Amino acid sequence: MPLRRFSASSVPSVPPPSSLSIFGGLMTELDKISPRFNIPASQIEILRGPVEFYDTLKSKISNAKRRIYLSTLYIGKAEHELIDTIKEALRKNPELQVSILTDALRGTRETPKPSCASLLASLVEEFGENRVEIRMFHTPNLTGLRKRIVPRRINEGWGLQHMKLYGIDDELILSGANLSNDYFTNRQDRYHVFSSKDITEYFHRIYTGVTSISYSVLPDKDSEAGYTMTWPETNGCPSPLDDPKSYRVQASRVLKPLIEPPSSAPGQIVGDTVVYPLLQFTPLLKPEDTSTELPAILTILRALNPSSNELKSASDSSHTSLATTPPLQNASWTFTAGYFNTPPFLRDLLLSTNPSHGTVIAASPWANGFYGSKGVSGMLPAAYTLLGKHFLNAIQKQGLDDRVKLMEWRRGTVGEPQGWTYHAKGFWVTLAGEDSSELATSFQPEKDVSAEERKGPSLTIVGSSNYTKRSYELDLEANACILTRNPDLMRRLSEEEKWLQEYAKVVDKKEFEMIERRVGLHVRIAMGIVTLLGGAL
């Protein structure tokens, strides 16, 4: 028989293990959702715990040259050391500009007693409005009678400024951690440092967009609270409390162009690591929600299993199908959320990925930040227990008992000596055959890396989102999706995945049948009332 000739185009192309092209159609779809940034893997540093996070943050603030922008839910009212660090940086560098964005509901909760707002007003008092800007976002979902009757302790259930962006010059710490003592000492979260000018600048534009539709906080010696909140004319719209509808129109006009992907075709993939910023601004984007976090997560989950395309929800109508490449099948994943309350459609899609194995990490009731709280908020740990039980039922219904496990994280007991809380959230995906359990104990970057040595997650999502109804309907969230084939970063992601399980144990239905885990009728009723009033856990 004559030899058959093959042209280059007729030979099946198999992406090398080191190439991002192994993700095939996934990146094509993500490029339609969000901007993409190519960065060296060495520009991503993963911090392990709260003390390292706090020390890193203070160090970077102390050495800031041009700007500091901090977006957080709140800064603890007693965080004088952090404020003093910022003040010292301002004193030694006259060119330095500081801007801080928090949430108005959470940041003024203790008023007229000392609060986050009164603490931050002291910065403006000493350095003036030209060098320090303090802004507080107020949700348009809690106004009028509803705001008057909902207790302060739980009013955050109607929407918050929840982004955790800590930008210093051209570096950004992306996290789920707020800025208070427990997040600096005994509250476990995740913390990724991006030493990238492009990424830091992108999130600064997002940050500036939100501050431009937020209240300004100024010192006021004549006020018992020590501060006043004003609505600057430069915001260009009525406040969310005066005219929520007009406010949303302006918010959409400001934010929508910032989060959309480029109109031109994305550039060539350079290197082995890319980052997609993911933002969720649902309460502000009306009538068309162009948020990028939820569509990206749905796209990733569908990429892990083509059959999940049959699962649809009203919130993802613009992203209905995705061709899956073989390397994404039979992957394993780890999912974690401090407050584990995924919406049913997201839970079902997660389980339908048919993973080789999956791990879900949630906070134990004794590691929940609301454990021991008074009033309605004290019922929240029991409410999350009920939701965890529902998740186990879903695992059993899908026939995944042998492949998907639920773990609860506990390190001591909240409120007792050495007691920690758990606040980490995120998602890791490891491709088939690259399970991190086979990872070598050491890594030599200068050595050629074979496919057998390439172990650990190739995809992770890090940021503020708890992946809940609140995250997708009520809060402002900022995250990043990292795709990598860099063996060193894969190793470091694997280490992060493992240390978050160090204090976690597998739980089953027997655990929830224990007397101390039973959920009373009053908790179920309280959950129903919150939902009835338009809030969410």
Side-chain angles (χ1 to χ4, degrees):
M1 294 180 61
L3 291 175
R4 183 180 178 186
R5 298 183 180 273
F6 290 91
S7 67
S9 59
S10 66
V11 177
S13 176
V14 179
S18 62
S19 170
L20 283 169
S21 59
I22 200 169
F23 288 105
L26 175 59
M27 288 187 64
T28 300
E29 293 298 313
L30 291 177
D31 284 339
K32 299 174 185 177
I33 296 171
S34 168
R36 173 183 9 115
F37 293 90
N38 300 285
I39 68 170
S42 59
Q43 290 185 354
I44 301 175
E45 178 184 5
I46 304 174
L47 307 181
R48 178 161 183 163
V51 174
E52 187 178 6
F53 165 59
Y54 189 35
D55 289 344
T56 300
L57 180 65
K58 288 190 296 180
S59 174
K60 292 187 183 302
I61 288 174
S62 296
N63 294 294
K65 304 299 182 184
R66 298 181 293 106
R67 67 177 178 191
I68 297 171
Y69 69 91
L70 309 176
S71 171
T72 186
L73 176 58
Y74 67 99
I75 294 180
K77 61 184 179 182
E79 293 310 313
H80 299 289
E81 181 182 54
L82 176 61
I83 298 303
D84 287 343
T85 301
I86 296 173
K87 287 181 176 180
E88 184 59 32
L90 284 162
R91 291 188 190 110
K92 71 180 183 181
N93 184 358
E95 303 300 318
L96 183 62
Q97 302 284 316
V98 173
S99 179
I100 300 175
L101 169 68
T102 69
D103 182 76
L105 295 174
R106 191 66 177 268
T108 62
R109 177 186 289 174
E110 299 89 351
T111 302
K113 296 179 180 179
S115 65
C116 168
S118 60
L119 179 68
L120 295 177
S122 67
L123 285 170
V124 184
E125 183 177 12
E126 180 171 347
F127 297 98
E129 296 179 63
N130 291 332
R131 297 192 64 197
V132 176
E133 174 189 51
I134 307 299
R135 293 287 186 133
M136 288 194 170
F137 169 87
H138 194 294
T139 177
N141 290 330
L142 189 65
T143 62
L145 178 62
R146 182 188 290 174
K147 181 174 182 177
R148 291 195 292 271
I149 65 175
V150 173
R152 284 188 179 185
R153 179 62 179 164
I154 64 168
N155 61 11
E156 62 186 73
W158 279 259
L160 296 169
Q161 191 305 106
H162 201 244
M163 301 187 299
K164 319 299 169 65
L165 302 170
Y166 307 125
I168 297 94
D169 292 334
D170 294 328
E171 292 186 302
L172 173 76
I173 303 176
L174 187 62
S175 179
N178 294 305
L179 303 180
S180 65
N181 182 65
D182 49 350
Y183 289 95
F184 300 152
T185 55
N186 59 2
R187 192 173 179 99
Q188 182 65 55
D189 216 299
R190 296 178 70 201
Y191 331 85
H192 283 211
V193 184
F194 296 86
S195 299
S196 164
K197 180 178 180 179
D198 290 341
I199 290 176
T200 306
E201 187 59 37
Y202 175 83
F203 278 106
H204 183 256
R205 292 196 296 271
I206 298 294
Y207 172 93
T208 302
V210 177
T211 61
S212 73
I213 51 171
S214 298
Y215 283 93
S216 177
V217 176
L218 299 172
D220 187 350
K221 294 182 179 180
D222 297 327
S223 168
E224 182 183 5
Y227 70 90
T228 183
M229 285 180 58
T230 64
W231 188 255
E233 292 183 2
T234 54
N235 284 7
C237 62
S239 78
L241 297 180
D242 292 334
D243 188 347
K245 184 176 181 179
S246 297
Y247 172 79
R248 286 190 176 99
V249 170
Q250 174 66 5
S252 294
R253 186 181 297 124
V254 170
L255 297 175
K256 185 178 178 181
L258 298 177
I259 65 177
E260 293 178 334
S263 56
S264 58
Q268 183 180 1
I269 299 174
V270 179
D272 55 16
T273 302
V274 298
V275 176
Y276 291 95
L278 304 179
L279 289 305
Q280 197 70 27
F281 290 154
T282 299
L284 301 181
L285 300 177
K286 306 291 182 180
E288 180 186 7
D289 183 5
T290 55
S291 296
T292 56
E293 179 198 332
L294 183 56
I297 288 175
L298 295 175
T299 296
I300 291 166
L301 293 179
R302 290 191 178 120
L304 296 176
N305 184 4
S307 65
S308 64
N309 287 332
E310 298 175 1
L311 289 172
K312 301 292 188 292
S313 76
S315 60
D316 67 301
S317 58
S318 62
H319 299 273
T320 56
S321 65
L322 178 67
T324 305
T325 54
L328 295 179
Q329 297 178 17
N330 302 315
S332 61
W333 49 253
T334 297
F335 175 85
T336 187
Y339 304 119
F340 182 58
N341 181 19
T342 55
F345 75 87
L346 189 60
R347 176 200 64 200
D348 293 343
L349 191 53
L350 181 67
L351 293 179
S352 71
T353 58
N354 198 30
S356 59
H357 66 266
T359 302
V360 173
I361 311 169
S364 156
W366 295 274
N368 187 297
F370 291 99
Y371 180 79
S373 297
K374 297 179 180 180
V376 177
S377 60
M379 302 180 191
L380 290 175
Y384 288 113
T385 287
L386 182 62
L387 295 166
K389 185 176 181 180
H390 290 169
F391 184 72
L392 281 181
N393 290 336
I395 291 175
Q396 186 177 46
K397 186 177 180 180
Q398 294 276 359
L400 294 171
D401 306 62
D402 60 335
R403 282 183 285 158
V404 178
K405 60 185 178 182
L406 174 62
M407 305 183 76
E408 286 189 344
W409 192 97
R410 181 180 181 182
R411 185 174 179 180
T413 299
V414 178
E416 296 182 4
Q418 309 304 314
W420 283 50
T421 51
Y422 185 76
H423 198 248
K425 42 261 194 173
F427 190 52
W428 298 257
V429 175
T430 299
L431 302 185
E434 298 183 349
D435 194 299
S436 57
S437 62
E438 304 170 16
L439 184 69
T441 55
S442 61
F443 175 76
Q444 298 173 301
E446 69 278 2
K447 176 184 173 184
D448 289 337
V449 180
S450 66
E452 289 72 24
E453 294 174 295
R454 194 177 301 279
K455 304 293 184 180
S458 284
L459 183 155
T460 192
I461 298 174
V462 62
S464 64
S465 180
N466 285 305
Y467 313 104
T468 62
K469 177 182 174 69
R470 261 181 55 183
S471 298
Y472 298 130
E473 295 183 8
L474 301 170
D475 292 348
L476 309 188
E477 307 284 7
N479 311 273
C481 174
I482 303 169
L483 292 174
T484 187
R485 298 300 292 155
N486 179 274
D488 182 48
L489 181 54
M490 292 167 66
R491 175 187 62 83
R492 290 186 282 126
L493 287 172
S494 175
E495 291 174 351
E496 180 189 41
E497 191 180 25
K498 287 180 179 179
W499 74 54
L500 286 174
Q501 298 179 42
E502 185 177 351
Y503 293 95
K505 72 169 187 176
V506 178
V507 293
D508 55 21
K509 285 191 172 182
K510 291 182 180 179
E511 176 78 21
F512 293 109
E513 292 171 359
M514 298 173 66
I515 294 176
E516 62 267 29
R517 300 299 297 270
R518 292 179 182 173
V519 180
L521 180 62
H522 65 296
V523 173
R524 300 171 191 262
I525 292 174
M527 292 171 68
I529 291 174
V530 169
T531 302
L532 183 65
L533 292 174
L537 295 178

